[in-house]
Coordinates of all heavy atoms in Angstrom, one line a residue:
M2 N 199.9 299.9 129.1 CA 200.6 299.4 128.0 C 200.2 300.1 126.7 O 199.1 300.2 126.4 CB 200.5 297.8 127.9 CG 201.5 297.2 127.1 SD 201.2 295.5 127.1 CE 202.8 294.9 127.6
T3 N 201.3 300.7 126.1 CA 200.8 301.5 124.9 C 200.7 300.5 123.7 O 201.1 299.3 123.8 CB 202.0 302.4 124.6 OG1 203.2 301.6 124.2 CG2 202.3 303.3 125.7
P4 N 200.0 300.9 122.7 CA 199.8 300.1 121.5 C 201.1 299.6 120.9 O 201.2 298.5 120.4 CB 199.0 301.0 120.5 CG 198.4 302.1 121.4 CD 199.3 302.2 122.6
K5 N 202.2 300.5 120.9 CA 203.3 300.1 120.3 C 204.0 298.9 121.1 O 204.5 297.9 120.6 CB 204.3 301.2 120.4 CG 205.6 301.1 119.6 CD 206.4 302.4 119.6 CE 207.6 302.4 118.7 NZ 208.4 303.5 118.8
E6 N 203.9 298.9 122.4 CA 204.4 297.8 123.3 C 203.6 296.5 123.1 O 204.1 295.4 123.1 CB 204.4 298.3 124.8 CG 205.4 299.3 125.1 CD 205.3 299.8 126.4 OE1 204.3 299.4 127.2 OE2 206.2 300.5 127.0
K7 N 202.3 296.7 122.8 CA 201.4 295.5 122.6 C 201.8 294.8 121.3 O 201.9 293.6 121.2 CB 199.9 295.9 122.6 CG 199.3 296.3 123.9 CD 197.9 296.6 123.8 CE 197.3 297.0 125.1 NZ 195.9 297.4 125.0
V8 N 202.1 295.7 120.3 CA 202.5 295.0 119.0 C 203.8 294.3 119.1 O 204.0 293.2 118.7 CB 202.5 296.2 117.9 CG1 203.2 295.7 116.6 CG2 201.1 296.7 117.6
R9 N 204.7 295.0 119.9 CA 206.1 294.4 120.1 C 205.9 293.1 120.9 O 206.5 292.1 120.5 CB 206.9 295.3 120.8 CG 208.4 294.8 121.0 CD 209.3 295.9 121.7 NE 209.4 297.0 120.8 CZ 209.8 298.2 121.3 NH1 210.0 298.4 122.5 NH2 210.0 299.2 120.4
A10 N 205.0 293.0 121.9 CA 204.8 291.9 122.7 C 204.2 290.7 121.9 O 204.6 289.6 122.0 CB 204.0 292.1 123.9
N11 N 203.3 291.1 121.0 CA 202.7 290.1 120.1 C 203.7 289.5 119.1 O 203.7 288.4 118.8 CB 201.5 290.7 119.3 CG 200.3 290.9 120.1 OD1 200.1 290.3 121.3 ND2 199.4 291.9 119.8
I12 N 204.6 290.3 118.6 CA 205.6 289.9 117.7 C 206.6 288.9 118.3 O 206.9 287.9 117.8 CB 206.4 291.1 117.1 CG1 205.5 291.9 116.1 CG2 207.7 290.6 116.4 CD1 206.2 293.2 115.6
Y13 N 207.0 289.3 119.6 CA 207.9 288.4 120.4 C 207.2 287.1 120.7 O 207.8 286.0 120.7 CB 208.4 289.0 121.6 CG 209.4 290.1 121.4 CD1 209.4 291.4 122.1 CD2 210.4 290.0 120.5 CE1 210.4 292.3 121.9 CE2 211.3 291.0 120.2 CZ 211.3 292.1 121.0 OH 212.3 293.0 120.8
K14 N 205.9 287.2 121.0 CA 205.0 286.0 121.3 C 205.0 285.1 120.1 O 205.2 283.8 120.2 CB 203.7 286.4 121.8 CG 202.9 285.2 122.2 CD 201.5 285.8 122.8 CE 200.6 284.7 123.1 NZ 199.3 285.2 123.7
A15 N 204.7 285.7 118.9 CA 204.7 284.8 117.6 C 206.0 284.2 117.3 O 206.1 283.1 116.9 CB 204.2 285.7 116.5
L16 N 207.1 285.0 117.5 CA 208.5 284.4 117.3 C 208.8 283.2 118.2 O 209.4 282.3 117.8 CB 209.5 285.6 117.4 CG 209.6 286.6 116.3 CD1 210.5 287.7 116.6 CD2 209.9 285.9 114.9
L17 N 208.4 283.4 119.5 CA 208.6 282.3 120.5 C 207.9 281.1 120.1 O 208.4 280.0 120.2 CB 208.3 282.9 121.8 CG 208.5 281.9 123.0 CD1 210.0 281.6 123.1 CD2 207.9 282.5 124.3
E18 N 206.6 281.2 119.7 CA 205.8 280.0 119.3 C 206.4 279.4 118.0 O 206.4 278.2 118.0 CB 204.4 280.5 119.1 CG 203.6 280.9 120.3 CD 202.2 281.4 120.0 OE1 201.8 281.4 118.8 OE2 201.6 281.8 120.9
E19 N 206.9 280.2 117.1 CA 207.5 279.6 116.0 C 208.8 278.9 116.3 O 209.0 277.8 115.7 CB 207.8 280.7 114.9 CG 208.4 280.2 113.6 CD 208.6 281.4 112.6 OE1 208.0 282.5 112.7 OE2 209.5 281.2 111.7
E20 N 209.6 279.5 117.2 CA 210.8 278.7 117.6 C 210.4 277.5 118.3 O 211.2 276.4 118.2 CB 211.5 279.7 118.5 CG 213.0 279.3 118.9 CD 213.9 279.3 117.7 OE1 213.6 280.1 116.7 OE2 214.8 278.6 117.6
K21 N 209.4 277.5 119.1 CA 209.0 276.2 119.8 C 208.6 275.2 118.8 O 209.0 274.0 118.9 CB 207.8 276.5 120.7 CG 208.2 277.1 122.1 CD 207.0 277.4 122.9 CE 207.4 278.1 124.2 NZ 206.1 278.3 125.0
R22 N 207.8 275.5 117.7 CA 207.5 274.5 116.8 C 208.7 274.0 116.0 O 208.8 272.8 115.7 CB 206.5 275.2 115.7 CG 205.1 275.4 116.2 CD 204.1 275.7 115.1 NE 204.6 276.9 114.4 CZ 204.0 278.2 114.6 NH1 203.0 278.3 115.3 NH2 204.5 279.2 113.9
K23 N 209.6 274.9 115.7 CA 210.8 274.4 115.0 C 211.6 273.5 115.9 O 212.1 272.4 115.4 CB 211.7 275.6 114.6 CG 212.8 275.3 113.7 CD 213.4 276.5 113.1 CE 214.4 277.1 114.0 NZ 215.3 278.2 113.5
N24 N 211.7 273.8 117.2 CA 212.5 272.9 118.0 C 211.8 271.6 118.3 O 212.4 270.5 118.4 CB 212.6 273.6 119.5 CG 213.7 274.7 119.4 OD1 214.5 274.7 118.5 ND2 213.7 275.6 120.3
K25 N 210.5 271.6 118.2 CA 209.7 270.3 118.3 C 209.9 269.5 117.1 O 210.2 268.3 117.2 CB 208.2 270.7 118.4 CG 207.3 269.5 118.7 CD 205.9 269.8 119.0 CE 205.0 268.6 119.3 NZ 203.6 269.0 119.5
R26 N 209.9 270.0 115.9 CA 210.2 269.4 114.7 C 211.6 268.8 114.7 O 211.8 267.6 114.3 CB 210.1 270.2 113.4 CG 208.6 270.4 113.0 CD 208.5 271.2 111.8 NE 208.4 272.5 112.2 CZ 208.8 273.6 111.4 NH1 209.2 273.4 110.2 NH2 208.7 274.8 111.9
M27 N 212.6 269.6 115.1 CA 213.9 269.1 115.2 C 214.1 267.9 116.2 O 214.8 266.9 116.0 CB 214.9 270.2 115.6 CG 215.1 271.1 114.5 SD 215.9 270.4 113.0 CE 217.5 270.0 113.7
S28 N 213.3 268.0 117.4 CA 213.5 266.8 118.3 C 212.8 265.6 117.7 O 213.4 264.5 118.0 CB 212.8 267.3 119.7 OG 211.4 267.5 119.5
I29 N 211.7 265.8 117.1 CA 211.1 264.6 116.5 C 212.0 264.0 115.4 O 212.3 262.8 115.3 CB 209.7 265.0 115.8 CG1 208.7 265.3 116.9 CG2 209.2 263.8 114.9 CD1 207.4 265.8 116.5
F30 N 212.7 264.8 114.6 CA 213.6 264.4 113.6 C 214.8 263.6 114.2 O 215.3 262.6 113.8 CB 214.1 265.6 112.7 CG 215.2 265.2 111.8 CD1 214.9 264.4 110.6 CD2 216.5 265.6 112.0 CE1 215.9 264.1 109.7 CE2 217.6 265.2 111.1 CZ 217.2 264.5 110.0
S31 N 215.3 264.2 115.4 CA 216.4 263.6 116.1 C 216.0 262.3 116.7 O 216.9 261.3 116.5 CB 216.9 264.5 117.2 OG 217.3 265.8 116.7
I32 N 214.9 262.1 117.2 CA 214.4 260.9 117.8 C 214.3 259.9 116.6 O 214.7 258.7 116.7 CB 213.1 261.1 118.5 CG1 213.4 261.9 119.8 CG2 212.5 259.7 118.9 CD1 212.2 262.2 120.5
G33 N 213.6 260.3 115.5 CA 213.6 259.3 114.3 C 214.9 258.9 113.9 O 215.1 257.7 113.5
L34 N 215.8 259.8 113.8 CA 217.2 259.5 113.3 C 217.9 258.4 114.3 O 218.6 257.6 113.9 CB 218.0 260.7 113.1 CG 219.4 260.6 112.5 CD1 219.2 260.0 111.0 CD2 220.1 261.9 112.4
F35 N 217.6 258.7 115.5 CA 218.2 257.7 116.5 C 217.7 256.3 116.3 O 218.4 255.4 116.3 CB 217.8 258.2 118.0 CG 218.2 257.3 119.0 CD1 219.5 257.2 119.4 CD2 217.3 256.6 119.7 CE1 219.9 256.3 120.4 CE2 217.6 255.7 120.7 CZ 218.9 255.6 121.1
F36 N 216.3 256.2 116.1 CA 215.8 254.9 116.0 C 216.3 254.3 114.6 O 216.4 253.1 114.6 CB 214.2 255.0 116.0 CG 213.7 255.0 117.4 CD1 213.0 256.2 117.8 CD2 214.0 254.1 118.3 CE1 212.5 256.3 119.1 CE2 213.5 254.1 119.6 CZ 212.8 255.2 120.0
V37 N 216.4 255.0 113.6 CA 217.0 254.5 112.4 C 218.4 254.0 112.5 O 218.7 252.9 112.1 CB 217.0 255.5 111.2 CG1 217.7 255.2 110.0 CG2 215.5 255.9 110.8
G38 N 219.1 254.7 113.4 CA 220.5 254.2 113.7 C 220.5 252.9 114.5 O 221.3 252.0 114.3
V39 N 219.6 252.8 115.4 CA 219.5 251.5 116.2 C 219.1 250.4 115.4 O 219.7 249.3 115.5 CB 218.5 251.8 117.4 CG1 218.2 250.4 118.1 CG2 219.0 252.8 118.4
V40 N 218.1 250.6 114.5 CA 217.7 249.5 113.6 C 218.9 249.1 112.7 O 219.1 248.0 112.5 CB 216.5 249.9 112.8 CG1 216.1 248.9 111.8 CG2 215.2 250.1 113.8
T41 N 219.6 250.1 112.1 CA 220.6 249.8 111.3 C 221.7 249.1 111.9 O 222.3 248.1 111.3 CB 221.2 251.2 110.6 OG1 220.2 251.9 110.0 CG2 222.3 250.9 109.7
M42 N 222.1 249.5 113.1 CA 223.2 248.8 113.8 C 222.8 247.4 114.2 O 223.6 246.4 114.1 CB 223.6 249.5 115.1 CG 224.5 250.7 114.8 SD 225.9 250.4 113.9 CE 226.8 249.4 115.0
S43 N 221.5 247.2 114.7 CA 221.1 245.8 115.0 C 221.1 244.9 113.8 O 221.4 243.7 113.8 CB 219.7 245.8 115.7 OG 218.8 246.3 114.8
T44 N 220.7 245.5 112.6 CA 220.7 244.7 111.4 C 222.1 244.3 111.0 O 222.4 243.2 110.6 CB 220.0 245.5 110.2 OG1 218.7 245.8 110.7 CG2 219.9 244.7 109.0
Y45 N 223.0 245.3 111.1 CA 224.4 245.0 110.8 C 225.0 244.0 111.7 O 225.7 243.0 111.2 CB 225.2 246.3 110.8 CG 226.7 246.2 110.7 CD1 227.2 245.9 109.4 CD2 227.6 246.1 111.8 CE1 228.6 245.8 109.2 CE2 228.9 246.0 111.5 CZ 229.4 245.8 110.2 OH 230.8 245.6 110.1
N46 N 224.8 244.2 113.0 CA 225.3 243.1 113.9 C 224.8 241.7 113.7 O 225.5 240.7 113.8 CB 225.0 243.6 115.4 CG 225.9 244.7 115.8 OD1 226.9 244.9 115.2 ND2 225.4 245.5 116.7
S47 N 223.4 241.6 113.3 CA 222.8 240.3 113.1 C 223.5 239.7 111.8 O 223.7 238.5 111.7 CB 221.4 240.4 113.1 OG 221.0 241.1 111.9
F48 N 223.8 240.6 110.8 CA 224.5 240.1 109.6 C 225.8 239.6 109.9 O 226.3 238.6 109.4 CB 224.4 241.2 108.6 CG 225.1 240.8 107.3 CD1 224.7 239.9 106.5 CD2 226.4 241.3 107.0 CE1 225.3 239.5 105.3 CE2 227.1 241.0 106.0 CZ 226.5 240.1 105.0
V49 N 226.6 240.4 110.7 CA 228.0 240.0 111.0 C 228.1 238.7 111.8 O 228.9 237.9 111.6 CB 228.7 241.2 111.7 CG1 230.0 240.7 112.2 CG2 228.9 242.4 110.8
N50 N 227.1 238.5 112.7 CA 227.1 237.4 113.5 C 226.7 236.2 112.8 O 227.1 235.0 113.2 CB 226.1 237.5 114.7 CG 226.6 238.6 115.7 OD1 227.9 238.8 115.8 ND2 225.8 239.1 116.5
T51 N 226.1 236.2 111.7 CA 225.7 235.0 110.8 C 226.9 234.5 110.0 O 226.8 233.3 109.6 CB 224.5 235.3 109.9 OG1 224.9 236.4 109.0 CG2 223.3 235.7 110.7
V52 N 227.9 235.3 109.8 CA 229.0 234.9 109.0 C 229.9 234.0 109.9 O 230.2 234.4 111.0 CB 229.8 236.1 108.5 CG1 231.1 235.6 107.7 CG2 229.0 236.9 107.6
P53 N 230.3 232.7 109.4 CA 231.1 231.9 110.2 C 232.4 232.5 110.5 O 233.0 233.1 109.7 CB 231.3 230.7 109.3 CG 230.2 230.7 108.3 CD 229.8 232.2 108.2
N54 N 232.9 232.3 111.7 CA 234.1 232.9 112.2 C 235.3 232.3 111.4 O 236.4 233.0 111.2 CB 234.4 232.6 113.6 CG 233.4 233.4 114.5 OD1 233.0 234.5 114.0 ND2 233.1 232.9 115.7
S55 N 235.2 231.0 110.9 CA 236.4 230.5 110.1 C 236.6 231.3 108.8 O 237.8 231.4 108.5 CB 236.2 229.1 109.9 OG 235.0 228.9 109.0
E56 N 235.6 231.7 108.2 CA 235.7 232.5 106.9 C 236.4 233.8 107.2 O 237.3 234.2 106.5 CB 234.4 232.7 106.3 CG 233.8 231.5 105.7 CD 232.4 231.8 105.0 OE1 232.2 233.0 104.7 OE2 231.7 230.9 104.8
I57 N 236.1 234.5 108.3 CA 236.6 235.8 108.7 C 238.1 235.6 109.0 O 238.9 236.4 108.5 CB 235.8 236.4 109.8 CG1 234.4 236.8 109.4 CG2 236.5 237.7 110.3 CD1 233.5 237.2 110.5
N58 N 238.4 234.7 109.9 CA 239.8 234.4 110.3 C 240.7 234.0 109.1 O 241.8 234.5 109.0 CB 239.9 233.4 111.5 CG 239.2 234.0 112.6 OD1 239.1 235.2 112.9 ND2 238.8 233.0 113.6
S59 N 240.2 233.1 108.3 CA 241.1 232.7 107.2 C 241.3 233.7 106.2 O 242.4 233.8 105.6 CB 240.5 231.4 106.6 OG 239.3 231.8 105.9
A60 N 240.4 234.6 106.1 CA 240.5 235.7 105.0 C 241.3 236.9 105.5 O 242.0 237.5 104.7 CB 239.1 236.2 104.6
S61 N 241.3 237.2 106.8 CA 242.0 238.4 107.2 C 243.3 238.2 107.9 O 244.0 239.1 108.0 CB 241.1 239.1 108.3 OG 240.8 238.3 109.4
V62 N 243.7 237.0 108.2 CA 245.0 236.8 109.0 C 245.8 236.0 108.0 O 245.5 235.0 107.4 CB 244.7 235.9 110.2 CG1 246.1 235.6 110.9 CG2 243.7 236.7 111.2
I63 N 247.0 236.6 107.9 CA 248.1 235.9 107.0 C 249.3 235.7 107.9 O 249.6 236.4 108.9 CB 248.5 236.7 105.7 CG1 249.1 238.1 106.1 CG2 247.3 236.9 104.9 CD1 249.7 238.8 105.0
S64 N 250.0 234.7 107.6 CA 251.2 234.3 108.4 C 252.3 235.3 108.1 O 252.3 236.1 107.1 CB 251.7 232.9 108.2 OG 252.1 232.8 106.8
A65 N 253.4 235.3 109.0 CA 254.5 236.2 108.9 C 255.3 235.9 107.6 O 255.8 236.7 106.9 CB 255.4 236.1 110.1
D66 N 255.4 234.5 107.3 CA 256.1 234.1 106.0 C 255.4 234.7 104.8 O 256.1 235.2 103.9 CB 256.2 232.6 106.0 CG 257.0 232.1 107.1 OD1 257.9 232.8 107.6 OD2 256.8 231.0 107.5
E67 N 254.1 234.6 104.8 CA 253.4 235.0 103.6 C 253.4 236.6 103.4 O 253.6 237.1 102.3 CB 251.9 234.7 103.7 CG 251.5 233.3 103.6 CD 250.1 232.9 103.9 OE1 249.4 233.9 104.5 OE2 249.6 231.9 103.4
R68 N 253.4 237.3 104.6 CA 253.6 238.7 104.5 C 255.0 239.2 104.1 O 255.1 240.0 103.2 CB 253.4 239.3 105.9 CG 253.4 240.8 106.0 CD 253.1 241.4 107.3 NE 252.5 240.6 108.2 CZ 252.9 240.3 109.5 NH1 253.8 241.0 110.0 NH2 252.2 239.5 110.3
E69 N 256.0 238.4 104.5 CA 257.4 238.7 104.1 C 257.5 238.4 102.6 O 258.2 239.2 101.9 CB 258.4 237.9 104.9 CG 259.8 238.2 104.6 CD 260.8 237.4 105.5 OE1 260.4 237.0 106.6 OE2 261.9 237.3 105.0
A70 N 257.0 237.4 102.1 CA 257.1 237.0 100.7 C 256.4 238.0 99.9 O 256.8 238.4 98.8 CB 256.4 235.6 100.6
L71 N 255.2 238.5 100.4 CA 254.5 239.5 99.6 C 255.3 240.9 99.5 O 255.4 241.5 98.4 CB 253.2 239.9 100.3 CG 252.3 241.0 99.6 CD1 251.9 240.5 98.3 CD2 251.1 241.2 100.5
V72 N 255.9 241.3 100.6 CA 256.7 242.5 100.6 C 257.9 242.4 99.7 O 258.2 243.2 98.9 CB 257.1 242.9 102.0 CG1 258.1 244.0 102.1 CG2 255.8 243.3 102.8
T73 N 258.6 241.2 99.8 CA 259.8 241.1 99.0 C 259.4 240.9 97.5 O 260.2 241.4 96.6 CB 260.6 239.8 99.3 OG1 259.8 238.7 99.4 CG2 261.2 240.0 100.8
S74 N 258.3 240.4 97.2 CA 257.9 240.3 95.8 C 257.6 241.7 95.2 O 257.8 241.9 94.0 CB 256.7 239.3 95.7 OG 255.5 239.8 96.3
I75 N 257.1 242.5 96.0 CA 256.8 243.9 95.5 C 258.1 244.6 95.3 O 258.2 245.3 94.3 CB 255.9 244.6 96.6 CG1 254.5 244.0 96.7 CG2 255.9 246.1 96.3 CD1 253.6 244.6 97.8
Y76 N 258.9 244.5 96.2 CA 260.2 245.2 96.0 C 261.2 244.6 94.9 O 262.0 245.4 94.4 CB 260.9 245.5 97.3 CG 260.3 246.5 98.1 CD1 259.6 246.2 99.3 CD2 260.2 247.8 97.7 CE1 259.0 247.1 100.1 CE2 259.6 248.8 98.5 CZ 258.9 248.5 99.6 OH 258.3 249.4 100.4
D77 N 261.1 243.3 94.8 CA 261.9 242.6 93.8 C 261.5 242.7 92.4 O 262.2 242.5 91.5 CB 262.1 241.2 94.3 CG 263.0 241.0 95.5 OD1 263.7 242.0 95.8 OD2 262.9 240.0 96.1
N78 N 260.2 243.0 92.3 CA 259.5 243.0 91.0 C 259.9 244.2 90.2 O 259.7 245.3 90.8 CB 258.1 242.8 91.1 CG 257.4 242.6 89.8 OD1 257.9 242.6 88.7 ND2 256.0 242.4 89.9
S79 N 260.5 244.1 89.1 CA 261.0 245.3 88.4 C 259.9 246.2 87.8 O 260.0 247.3 87.4 CB 262.0 244.9 87.3 OG 261.3 244.1 86.3
S80 N 258.7 245.5 87.5 CA 257.6 246.3 87.1 C 257.0 247.2 88.0 O 256.3 248.2 87.7 CB 256.5 245.3 86.4 OG 255.9 244.5 87.5
V81 N 257.1 246.9 89.3 CA 256.5 247.7 90.4 C 257.4 248.9 90.6 O 257.0 250.1 90.6 CB 256.3 246.9 91.7 CG1 255.8 247.9 92.8 CG2 255.3 245.8 91.4
V82 N 258.7 248.6 90.9 CA 259.7 249.7 91.1 C 260.5 249.7 90.0 O 261.4 248.9 89.7 CB 260.5 249.5 92.4 CG1 261.5 250.6 92.6 CG2 259.5 249.4 93.6
D83 N 260.3 250.7 89.0 CA 261.1 250.7 87.8 C 262.3 251.5 87.9 O 262.2 252.6 88.4 CB 260.2 251.3 86.6 CG 260.8 251.0 85.3 OD1 261.6 250.1 85.2 OD2 260.4 251.7 84.4
K84 N 263.5 251.0 87.7 CA 264.7 251.7 87.8 C 264.9 252.4 86.5 O 265.0 251.8 85.4 CB 265.9 250.8 88.1 CG 265.7 250.0 89.4 CD 266.8 249.1 89.7 CE 266.6 248.4 91.1 NZ 267.4 247.3 91.3
K85 N 265.2 253.7 86.5 CA 265.5 254.5 85.4 C 267.0 254.8 85.3 O 267.5 255.3 86.2 CB 264.6 255.8 85.4 CG 264.7 256.6 84.2 CD 263.7 257.7 84.3 CE 263.7 258.4 83.0 NZ 262.9 259.6 83.0
N86 N 267.6 254.4 84.1 CA 269.0 254.6 83.9 C 269.1 255.8 82.9 O 268.5 255.8 81.8 CB 269.7 253.4 83.3 CG 269.7 252.3 84.4 OD1 269.7 252.5 85.5 ND2 269.6 251.1 83.8
T87 N 269.8 256.8 83.4 CA 269.9 257.9 82.4 C 271.4 258.2 82.3 O 272.2 258.0 83.3 CB 269.2 259.3 82.9 OG1 269.8 259.5 84.2 CG2 267.8 259.1 83.0
T88 N 271.8 258.6 81.1 CA 273.2 258.9 80.9 C 273.3 260.4 80.6 O 272.5 260.9 79.8 CB 273.8 258.1 79.8 OG1 273.1 258.3 78.6 CG2 273.8 256.7 80.2
L89 N 274.3 261.1 81.1 CA 274.4 262.4 80.8 C 275.5 262.7 79.8 O 276.6 262.1 79.8 CB 274.8 263.3 82.1 CG 273.8 263.4 83.2 CD1 274.4 264.1 84.4 CD2 272.5 264.1 82.7
N90 N 275.1 263.4 78.7 CA 276.1 263.7 77.7 C 276.6 265.2 77.9 O 275.8 266.1 77.7 CB 275.4 263.6 76.3 CG 276.4 263.8 75.2 OD1 277.6 264.0 75.3 ND2 275.9 263.5 74.0
P91 N 277.8 265.3 78.3 CA 278.3 266.6 78.6 C 278.3 267.6 77.4 O 278.1 268.8 77.6 CB 279.8 266.4 79.0 CG 279.9 264.9 79.3 CD 278.8 264.2 78.5
D92 N 278.4 267.0 76.2 CA 278.3 267.9 75.0 C 277.1 268.6 74.9 O 276.8 269.8 74.7 CB 278.7 267.1 73.7 CG 280.1 266.7 73.7 OD1 280.9 267.3 74.4 OD2 280.4 265.5 73.1
E93 N 276.0 267.8 75.1 CA 274.6 268.4 75.1 C 274.4 269.5 76.2 O 273.8 270.5 75.9 CB 273.5 267.3 75.2 CG 273.5 266.3 74.0 CD 272.4 265.3 74.2 OE1 271.8 265.3 75.3 OE2 272.3 264.5 73.3
L94 N 274.9 269.2 77.3 CA 274.7 270.2 78.4 C 275.5 271.5 78.1 O 275.0 272.5 78.3 CB 275.3 269.6 79.7 CG 274.5 268.4 80.3 CD1 275.2 267.9 81.5 CD2 273.1 268.9 80.7
F95 N 276.7 271.4 77.5 CA 277.4 272.6 77.3 C 276.8 273.4 76.1 O 276.9 274.6 75.9 CB 278.9 272.3 77.0 CG 279.6 271.9 78.2 CD1 280.1 270.7 78.4 CD2 279.7 272.9 79.3 CE1 280.9 270.4 79.7 CE2 280.4 272.6 80.5 CZ 280.9 271.3 80.6
I96 N 276.2 272.6 75.2 CA 275.6 273.3 74.0 C 274.4 274.1 74.5 O 274.2 275.3 74.0 CB 275.0 272.2 72.9 CG1 276.2 271.6 72.2 CG2 274.1 272.9 71.9 CD1 276.0 270.5 71.3
F97 N 273.6 273.6 75.4 CA 272.4 274.3 75.9 C 272.9 275.5 76.7 O 272.4 276.6 76.7 CB 271.6 273.4 76.9 CG 270.8 272.4 76.1 CD1 270.9 271.1 76.5 CD2 270.0 272.7 75.0 CE1 270.2 270.1 75.9 CE2 269.4 271.7 74.4 CZ 269.4 270.5 74.7
N98 N 274.1 275.4 77.4 CA 274.7 276.5 78.2 C 275.1 277.6 77.3 O 274.9 278.9 77.6 CB 275.8 276.0 79.0 CG 276.2 277.0 80.1 OD1 275.4 278.0 80.3 ND2 277.3 276.8 80.6
T99 N 275.7 277.4 76.1 CA 276.2 278.4 75.2 C 275.2 279.1 74.4 O 275.3 280.2 74.0 CB 277.2 277.8 74.2 OG1 276.6 276.8 73.5 CG2 278.5 277.3 75.0
Q100 N 274.0 278.5 74.4 CA 272.8 279.1 73.6 C 272.2 280.3 74.4 O 271.4 281.0 73.8 CB 271.8 278.2 73.2 CG 272.3 277.1 72.1 CD 271.3 276.1 71.8 OE1 270.3 276.0 72.4 NE2 271.6 275.3 70.9
I101 N 272.5 280.4 75.6 CA 271.9 281.5 76.4 C 272.3 282.8 76.1 O 272.7 283.5 75.4 CB 272.0 281.2 77.9 CG1 271.2 279.9 78.3 CG2 271.5 282.4 78.7 CD1 271.5 279.5 79.8

């Protein structure tokens, strides 16, 4: 083996060891992130299970009559959907046309 090949082999060996260290750090980070996710989900699930079901159901479910009343009140209310009335004055339109 020539000295040039030995140097090249040492460089490849060092790069391989560095890549192994980097992969090991990434795997440790991934495992840590997994455990953080598990703890977060279990905490969230325990919090959700402590809330009484009657509060959740009464807050999130509305009847069909209430829904229909809400929709009609939105469309019937003039402040939500503002109708704009414009009138066209033909004299003004023709004045602008002749100024060109």
